[in-house]
């Protein structure tokens, strides 16, 4: 949008102090006069000098200070060479347009907050924050869906209604800054509704910036409400995280949505914990000798009937914690779009399976790995438009994020159509760092897996996105902390695909119970490839590789659990035991156990803090007789061998 004239400015802000608004208008005019991809640093410094005092001016509304503080941050980044200056200037212009969009509120337009009791405010604030986050998610979804297409009047009405609802609720609770900014958004939308040809990115950029600043103000309001007797506007803070709730239903929906009630998450977590304890307690009753060794048919039937109800209750309790991945996918789409603008690489973001549900405790933990992977894809994987055209690819790159259920797991896949991994470069860098021996045989999958090693980067330059060799090792650690695993495959010139496998919930683990001597261990089902009893001649010993076994044409290293965990009285002759072949997604090994006791569900618990990290162990499980079994981790076992 072009900067308004002085007459237009006075008309839209009749009571605005001329010195303050004049500085903002002067900054906008200066930015409008900048041309080319590399604006003059002196001109950027001049604009920053105009805006920085206004961002600290306590006489300005809180939301204006927030918007101007965000603009100053963008200018600092442009001056430091971080990102694309043209993109930063465009966003600064959108923020300045936002600050000029609202006329002073008429009397009664934004009602003053009522004198609510402190307890009432504390009860209402969490619901207000959750509902506001849902509304902002919905607005952002509309703007992302619109893209470069024309914004339909119905979409504008939906956005207007969301801002109006936030304004009313914020005014009621006394969140003045939130109410004023929501009012500014309404004023901005009024201008858009009067336009005859509204094109997405050019005209709605201030609306998107309004969403970002509203998130920051809501975060401030949440913080101040938690620490003070009454809510108050605050200064700049980090953006609030997006809610993991469903966006509001479409107006076109004909069926009434099911009735809902908000439940505190700590109470929900406590319910799931208690159900888990109930599962363990019932398993102990069901395994009692009185039920199995004595003829109590009626008691056995009652235990079986109770077990069915317990399993149904467990499934229902777990389902209560399930939330869709849609808000997380939406955040990743916004990230990819912003990085595309920053790097000058046009990108098309495609998501499928966003309604796939996962345990809510895992959503936020999954966000950081996805952010790292998308940033790496945009920096290392996706080529510049000229290089893509020369390679016969579409100029606009494609990033696909998808999710689906597979058995008892959730699969999340991120794929790009970029240049692919430089496997030779990765191998050479790993050898240079001493991570791999020069003559060590490795498959393509094993070489690709080296990108998860700490400090290993094939980039010769450090950018604002990557190049320091950190990030992918964090990705693997975070995924493994969720009892999941990550695989990578790449094709030269055709792109890279990361596939993450996660358990559906962290509350319950599906696993195989095995015995080693007098000890019992749980192996997660997602790690198991097969169980077998090879002949004695299938075992060999190789210098430097230890004991190996060959099964159906594949060779695996053998890990004797009794030796690893110092268990006495266990089977030492492989012919007398069972091999359980497990994999971390790239490598595989065979675990020698005495006996396989069967498939069960277990309530997982972390290892006690006093024990520290135990190699090859990811947690503990309460077994049916009340004893504690260790949950084994395939990746940790492979690292410990």
């Amino acid at each position: 949008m072009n900067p308004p004239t002085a007459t237009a400015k006075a008309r839209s802000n009749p009571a605005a102090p001329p010195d303050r608004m004049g500085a903002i208008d002067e900054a906008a005019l200066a930015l409008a006069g900048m041309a080319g991809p590399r604006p003059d640093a002196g001109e950027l410094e001049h604009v920053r000098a105009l805006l920085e005092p206004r961002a600290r001016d306590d006489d300005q509304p809180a939301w204006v200070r927030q918007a101007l503080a965000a603009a100053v941050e963008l200018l600092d980044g442009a001056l430091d060479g971080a990102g694309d200056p043209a993109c930063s200037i465009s966003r600064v212009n959108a923020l300045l347009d936002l600050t000029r969009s609202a006329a002073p509120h008429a009397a009664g337009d934004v009602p003053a907050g009522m004198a609510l009791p402190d307890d009432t405010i504390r009860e209402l604030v969490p619901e207000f924050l959750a509902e506001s986050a849902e509304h902002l998610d919905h607005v952002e979804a509309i703007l992302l869906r619109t893209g470069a297409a024309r914004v339909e009047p119905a979409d504008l009405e939906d956005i207007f209604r969301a801002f109006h609802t936030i304004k009313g609720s914020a005014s009621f609770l006394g969140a003045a800054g939130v109410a004023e900014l929501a009012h500014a958004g309404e004023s901005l939308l009024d201008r858009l509704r009067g336009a005859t040809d509204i094109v997405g990115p050019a005209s709605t950029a201030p609306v998107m910036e309004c969403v970002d600043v509203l998130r920051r103000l809501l975060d401030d309001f949440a913080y101040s409400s938690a620490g003070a007797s009454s809510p108050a506007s605050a200064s700049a803070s980090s953006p609030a995280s997006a809610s993991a709730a469903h966006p509001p239903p479409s107006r076109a929906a004909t069926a009434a949505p099911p009735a809902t009630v908000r439940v505190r998450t700590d109470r929900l977590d406590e319910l799931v914990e208690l159900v888990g304890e109930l599962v363990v307690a019932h398993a102990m009753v069901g395994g009692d000798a009185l039920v199995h060794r004595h003829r109590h048919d009626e008691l056995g039937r009652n235990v079986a009937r109770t077990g069915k109800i317990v399993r149904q209750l467990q499934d229902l309790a777990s389902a209560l914690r399930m939330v869709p991945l849609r808000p997380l996918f939406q955040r990743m789409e916004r990230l990819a779009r912003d990085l595309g603008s920053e790097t000058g690489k046009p990108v098309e973001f495609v998501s499928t399976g966003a309604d796939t549900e996962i345990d809510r405790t895992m959503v936020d933990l999954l966000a950081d790995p996805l952010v790292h992977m998308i940033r790496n894809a945009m920096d290392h994987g996706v080529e510049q438009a000229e290089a893509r055209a020369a390679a016969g690819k579409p100029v606009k790159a494609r990033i696909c994020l998808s999710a689906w259920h597979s058995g008892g797991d959730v699969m999340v896949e991120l794929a790009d159509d970029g240049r692919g991994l430089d496997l030779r470069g990765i191998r050479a860098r790993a050898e240079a760092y001493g991570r791999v021996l020069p003559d060590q045989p490795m498959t393509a999958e094993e070489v690709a897996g080296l990108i998860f090693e700490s400090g290993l980067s094939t980039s010769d330059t450090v950018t604002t996105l990557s190049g320091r060799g950190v990030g992918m090792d964090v990705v693997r650690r975070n995924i493994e902390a969720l009892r999941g695993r990550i695989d990578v495959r790449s094709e030269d010139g055709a792109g890279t695909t990361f596939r993450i496998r996660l358990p559906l919930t962290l509350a319950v683990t599906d696993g195989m119970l095995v015995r080693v001597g007098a000890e019992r261990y749980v192996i997660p089902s997602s790690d198991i490839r097969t169980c077998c009893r090879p002949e004695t001649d299938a075992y060999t010993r190789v210098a430097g590789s230890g004991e190996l076994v060959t099964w159906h044409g594949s060779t695996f290293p053998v890990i004797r659990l009794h030796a690893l965990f110092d268990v006495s009285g266990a089977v030492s002759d492989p012919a007398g035991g069972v091999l359980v072949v497990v994999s971390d997604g790239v490598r595989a090994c065979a675990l020698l156990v005495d006996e396989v006791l069967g498939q069960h569900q277990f309530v997982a618990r972390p290892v006690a803090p006093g024990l520290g990290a135990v190699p090859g162990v990811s947690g503990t499980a309460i077994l049916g007789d009340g004893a504690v079994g260790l949950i084994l981790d395939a990746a940790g076992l492979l690292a410990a061998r």
Side-chain angles (χ1 to χ4, degrees):
M1 296 182 177
N2 295 326
T5 62
T7 303
K9 177 261 298 182
R11 184 170 58 251
S12 64
N13 295 278
D19 58 330
R20 294 182 189 136
M21 293 310 299
I24 294 174
D25 283 344
E26 183 181 346
L29 288 169
L31 290 173
M34 296 182 189
R38 297 292 175 187
D40 181 73
E43 294 176 344
L44 290 178
E45 287 281 8
H46 172 64
V47 174
R48 188 192 183 286
L50 289 169
L51 299 181
E52 199 270 339
R54 274 60 188 175
R56 295 184 288 102
D57 187 353
D58 290 338
D59 290 335
Q60 297 270 45
W63 71 268
V64 173
R65 296 199 305 273
Q66 284 275 22
L68 294 181
V72 171
E73 290 175 8
L74 287 167
L75 290 170
D76 285 339
L79 286 166
D80 292 340
D84 180 10
C87 176
S88 298
I89 290 174
S90 175
R91 293 191 63 186
V92 172
N93 266 321
L95 287 163
L96 297 186
D97 197 45
L98 175 64
T99 62
R100 299 195 305 268
S101 64
H105 305 143
D109 187 27
V110 180
M114 300 174 63
L116 298 174
D118 293 347
D119 290 343
T120 303
I121 286 180
R122 280 192 290 270
E123 291 176 2
L124 294 178
V125 164
E127 184 172 353
F128 161 66
L129 294 171
E131 289 182 348
S132 297
E134 290 177 11
H135 286 307
L136 294 179
D137 286 343
H138 186 50
V139 170
E140 194 170 56
I142 292 174
L143 297 176
L144 290 172
R145 183 187 72 233
T146 300
R150 185 179 185 277
V151 183
E152 297 296 331
D155 288 331
L156 286 177
E157 291 299 329
D158 274 354
I159 298 173
F160 188 93
R161 188 179 300 108
F163 283 150
H164 186 74
T165 302
I166 293 174
K167 181 182 78 172
S169 300
S171 300
F172 181 72
L173 289 175
V178 176
E180 290 169 354
L181 179 53
H183 179 79
E186 286 181 327
S187 301
L188 189 63
L189 289 165
D190 267 337
R191 292 163 54 188
L192 295 179
R193 287 193 297 187
T196 57
D197 186 20
I198 305 169
V199 178
S203 299
T204 59
V207 182
M208 188 68 87
E209 298 296 339
C210 184
V211 170
D212 289 344
V213 179
L214 267 173
R215 290 194 195 278
R216 298 174 72 164
L217 283 173
L218 286 167
D219 197 36
D220 292 340
F221 181 60
Y223 179 81
S224 61
S225 298
S229 59
S230 62
S233 298
S235 58
S237 178
S238 60
S241 59
S243 168
H246 284 285
S250 168
R251 293 182 305 156
T254 55
T260 60
V261 61
R262 295 187 183 276
V263 180
R264 283 173 42 183
T265 55
D266 59 338
R267 291 179 178 173
L268 186 59
D269 292 342
E270 184 178 0
L271 171 64
V272 174
E273 292 288 332
L274 289 174
V275 171
E277 297 295 339
L278 178 62
V279 171
V280 173
H282 179 268
M284 294 173 66
V285 172
D288 192 277
L290 184 64
V291 177
H292 291 284
R293 298 179 185 175
H294 303 281
R295 300 191 60 82
H296 290 285
D297 294 340
E298 185 177 356
L299 175 61
R301 286 193 298 270
N302 289 338
V303 170
R305 188 180 303 112
T306 305
K308 182 179 179 180
I309 296 173
V310 168
R311 285 192 297 272
Q312 292 176 339
L313 180 60
Q314 179 185 12
D315 291 341
L316 178 60
S318 298
L320 291 175
R321 293 211 308 190
M322 296 296 170
V323 295
L325 288 168
R326 182 173 299 280
L328 176 62
F329 277 27
Q330 187 172 303
R331 288 162 57 191
M332 297 305 108
E333 181 178 359
R334 175 72 187 278
L335 173 65
R337 194 195 73 166
D338 289 347
L339 290 175
S341 298
E342 180 180 337
T343 60
K345 299 176 180 179
V347 61
E348 176 188 9
F349 188 93
V350 179
S351 63
T352 57
D355 290 326
T356 302
E357 293 188 334
I358 194 171
D359 194 309
R360 68 162 193 86
T361 59
M362 302 174 70
V363 173
D364 289 338
L365 297 175
L366 181 60
D368 281 347
L370 286 178
V371 167
H372 279 299
M373 292 155 63
I374 289 177
R375 291 173 71 89
N376 277 343
M378 292 300 300
D379 194 25
H380 291 303
V382 173
E383 312 95 330
Q384 292 291 342
E386 299 81 5
R388 292 182 63 85
K393 294 182 178 181
V395 172
K396 182 176 287 189
R398 186 181 178 91
I399 291 182
C400 299
L401 181 60
S402 53
W404 67 95
H405 285 132
S406 176
D409 296 330
V410 174
M411 311 296 292
V412 179
E413 187 174 272
L414 179 70
D416 67 72
D417 65 347
R419 61 173 59 91
L421 296 176
D422 178 11
L423 296 182
R424 291 184 179 178
I426 293 171
R427 172 70 188 247
R429 188 60 63 95
E431 291 180 3
Y433 277 77
R435 309 290 177 85
V436 175
L437 297 176
D439 57 349
Q440 181 177 339
M442 295 184 72
T443 65
E445 290 77 10
E446 290 174 333
V447 174
L450 291 172
I451 66 173
F452 298 111
E453 294 290 331
S454 176
L456 187 66
S457 173
T458 59
S459 178
D460 294 326
T461 58
V462 175
T463 69
T464 56
L465 297 185
S466 61
R468 298 186 185 275
V470 296
M472 295 309 294
D473 61 319
V474 176
V475 167
R476 182 172 63 180
R477 284 202 302 271
N478 286 1
I479 297 300
E480 291 176 353
L482 295 173
R483 300 205 307 271
R485 72 169 187 253
I486 181 169
D487 304 329
V488 57
R489 64 180 186 272
S490 180
E491 184 177 350
D492 188 31
T496 303
T497 299
F498 292 92
R499 178 172 291 183
I500 300 171
R501 178 185 289 271
L502 295 169
L504 192 62
T505 175
L506 292 178
V508 177
T509 296
D510 285 316
M512 181 180 289
L513 186 65
V514 300
R515 181 178 63 82
V516 179
E519 301 295 332
R520 286 169 292 174
Y521 300 92
V522 177
I523 305 175
S525 299
S526 59
D527 290 346
I528 299 175
R529 282 193 184 180
T530 187
C531 296
C532 57
R533 288 180 181 269
E535 298 294 333
T536 304
D537 58 5
Y539 293 87
T540 58
R541 280 194 171 274
V542 178
S545 298
E547 189 176 14
L548 303 176
V549 65
T550 301
W551 178 255
H552 287 183
S554 298
T555 301
F556 309 103
V558 176
I559 296 179
R560 296 170 175 258
L561 291 181
H562 69 88
L564 182 64
F565 295 122
D566 193 22
V567 179
S568 59
V571 171
S572 58
D573 181 5
V578 179
L579 290 182
V580 181
V581 180
V582 299
S583 170
D584 66 353
V586 177
R587 301 168 297 172
C589 66
L591 308 179
L592 176 61
V593 304
D594 294 14
E595 182 183 6
V596 173
L597 301 177
Q599 199 83 3
H600 301 276
Q601 280 192 328
F602 304 92
V603 178
R605 295 286 186 271
V607 178
L611 297 179
V614 181
V617 174
S618 62
T620 60
I622 307 298
L623 306 181
D625 59 359
V628 176
L630 298 179
I631 301 175
L632 303 182
D633 170 47
L637 290 171
L638 284 161
R641 62 177 289 268

